[in-house]
Amino acid sequence: EAGVTQFPSHSVIEKGQTVTLRCDPISGHDNLYWYRRVMGKEIKFLLHFVKESKQDESGMPNNRFLAERTGGTYSTLKVQPAELEDSGVYFCASSQGAGGFVDTQYFGPGTRLTVL
Amino acid sequence: ILNVEQSPQSLHVQEGDSTNFTCSFPSSNFYALHWYRWETAKSPEALFVMTLNGDEKKKGRISATLNTKEGYSYLYIKGSQPEDSATYLCASTSGSARQLTFGSGTQLTVLP
């Protein structure tokens, strides 16, 4: 079974540019999460999709971040325009949903974003 | 405790040593405690999910315990090997939220 995949693995952009990150969850997983780890700090929650619906987006830092999950399969996270403080590793995770709140979340390898 | 806290921040041990780390989490509204093993540039690997007070889980040489009343979990590694070198992350879920709240991790280095 393929795991969670993320693309690209690295992205280096200039301040003010736009970047789109993609996440492909494990097939059949209804729950999809985005997290971010800023240098030296803990991994922090950004948002949670159940199928194509945003269940919780309380962790999104501001309106420069836009996440979509059209069709309830893969998800994209767009940062527009990027700022220096957006640099970090963006993780995606998915879970089946059958276990209620005890679901194991399976993580992708992350996208390392550097904003210059 | 308001946040998830892990100690120590980093740890160096010799091959063959046994070691343990601590995760402290808010005990009010607690639902589940997750442990992950993470090597940089790879996917964090799920180790355990625990929910009940007194839970103990084991996977090979790695085991974990949970105390929900006092809000802590221990992760034990018996007979550490160089391939155990990684960052060990704990995360809790609480209330009705499914999001994981992570600690900052314990970076383990096992010296051959």
Side-chain angles (χ1 to χ4, degrees):
Chain A
E1 179 182 282
V4 176
T5 58
Q6 293 187 244
F7 183 83
S9 56
H10 292 84
S11 181
V12 180
I13 60 173
E14 302 265 334
K15 175 183 170 180
Q17 289 186 319
T18 297
V19 63
T20 300
L21 315 181
R22 173 172 169 142
C23 168
D24 286 79
I26 293 171
S27 177
H29 280 193
D30 286 342
N31 293 284
L32 187 148
Y33 305 81
W34 283 98
Y35 293 87
R36 176 173 75 169
R37 185 176 191 249
V38 172
M39 180 71 75
K41 303 213 169 178
E42 64 273 13
I43 297 172
K44 289 205 166 177
F45 168 78
L46 295 177
L47 87 160
H48 170 207
F49 283 99
V50 177
K51 297 185 180 177
E52 66 275 9
S53 300
K54 290 177 187 173
Q55 183 76 14
D56 181 354
E57 50 185 330
S58 61
M60 294 287 262
N62 52 60
N63 59 11
R64 295 185 293 103
F65 289 75
L66 175 65
E68 294 180 325
R69 193 184 181 194
T70 308
T73 54
Y74 72 91
S75 174
T76 58
L77 179 66
K78 181 191 283 189
V79 185
Q80 179 183 29
E83 298 289 344
L84 298 178
E85 64 264 25
D86 300 332
S87 296
V89 181
Y90 289 77
F91 289 101
C92 175
S94 72
S95 70
Q96 199 164 19
F101 296 107
V102 193
D103 256 353
T104 293
Q105 294 185 23
Y106 297 92
F107 279 75
T111 293
R112 181 173 294 278
L113 175 64
T114 303
V115 182
L116 302 175
Chain B
I1 293 174
L2 299 177
N3 300 313
V4 177
E5 297 172 359
Q6 292 188 248
S7 63
Q9 190 172 12
S10 65
L11 188 58
H12 289 72
V13 300
Q14 288 295 136
E15 183 176 354
D17 286 351
S18 293
T19 188
N20 65 85
F21 340 119
T22 305
C23 172
S24 302
F25 54 87
S27 53
S28 63
N29 254 351
F30 168 82
Y31 202 88
L33 194 284
H34 303 244
W35 280 101
Y36 287 86
R37 178 181 180 279
W38 179 42
E39 293 181 64
T40 304
K42 294 187 178 180
S43 304
E45 174 196 354
L47 292 174
F48 307 114
V49 181
M50 297 181 287
T51 57
L52 300 176
N53 187 45
D55 252 355
E56 290 188 29
K57 294 279 177 91
K58 188 174 180 182
K59 185 177 181 177
R61 294 179 292 99
I62 305 176
S63 60
T65 61
L66 180 67
N67 182 321
T68 61
K69 293 182 180 179
E70 295 181 42
Y72 65 83
S73 175
Y74 292 133
L75 187 81
Y76 300 91
I77 301 179
K78 186 177 177 182
S80 303
Q81 299 296 309
E83 58 264 30
D84 295 329
S85 297
T87 297
Y88 290 83
L89 300 164
C90 75
S92 69
T93 52
S94 60
S96 60
R98 290 193 179 208
Q99 59 181 274
L100 297 176
T101 300
F102 280 90
S104 52
T106 293
Q107 187 171 9
L108 174 68
T109 303
V110 182
L111 304 168

